[in-house]
Amino acid sequence: MTGPNILLTRIDNRLIHGQVGVTWVNHLGANLIVVANDKVSTDEVQQSLMDMVLPDVIQARYFSIQKTIDVIHKASPRQKIFLVVRDVEDALKLKEGGVPIDHINVGNLHYEEGKKQVSSTVSVDDRDIAAFKKLDELGVKMDLRGVPSDKKQNILELL
């Protein structure tokens, strides 16, 4: 039994927006985007805004973190999945919940009070750093880049 065909998991505060919707999907050859986010899973307005930026050939599903853990293994191998989460803690919950995440692209984590900026698009606090380190211990490869053509940066070296 093979697991779900997750091409890449991306951490991005903005979830799906124009650049991500098109650039990453094309780069990966994905045909399904799974947005794993508790808030968005119940917010139809947000969902329709995200649907609007996606090409028609791409399906999107909006699941809570727990539902993603519960259903991801039912995905068909034909579904080439681009998994998008809002923050590193959600990525860790998915991984610990049995979602086979082996590669994470860190795209965008907004600066907030109490966070330190480690790149132009990524700011972290102690909880984020702890979650990144835990993912690393679990064998997840992580790179920081906004678009596929950016040079990969090792997030752990920046923390």
Side-chain angles (χ1 to χ4, degrees), residues 105-157:
N105 159 248
V106 184
N108 198 291
L109 287 170
H110 290 318
Y111 178 78
E112 286 163 29
E113 193 65 46
K115 292 200 171 200
K116 68 169 187 174
Q117 197 167 5
V118 294
S119 84
S120 59
T121 57
V122 173
S123 298
V124 294
D125 60 17
D126 291 343
R127 283 176 61 177
D128 297 327
I129 291 171
F132 276 123
K133 289 190 169 151
K134 189 82 211 279
L135 283 163
D136 180 56
E137 283 162 25
L138 294 169
V140 180
K141 304 251 182 302
M142 292 175 281
D143 72 80
L144 186 141
R145 50 194 171 135
V147 291
S149 56
D150 287 352
K151 184 176 166 306
K152 289 186 185 184
Q153 290 180 282
N154 181 344
I155 182 86
L156 294 165
E157 289 168 8

Side-chain angles (χ1 to χ4, degrees), residues 45-101:
V45 175
Q46 280 283 87
Q47 292 178 20
S48 56
L49 288 171
M50 292 189 204
D51 282 340
M52 281 176 5
V53 303
L54 292 172
D56 291 340
V57 291
I58 308 297
Q59 287 189 302
R61 296 280 178 273
Y62 302 93
F63 295 146
S64 66
I65 297 298
Q66 189 56 51
K67 180 158 184 191
T68 305
I69 289 168
D70 294 342
V71 304
I72 197 81
H73 291 280
K74 299 187 178 101
S76 136
R78 290 188 308 276
Q79 292 176 306
K80 299 184 185 132
I81 301 168
F82 180 34
L83 179 59
V84 184
V85 295
R86 182 162 272 159
D87 58 50
V88 60
E89 288 189 45
D90 280 354
L92 180 59
K93 280 182 206 151
L94 291 174
K95 177 70 178 172
E96 291 181 329
V99 177
I101 292 172

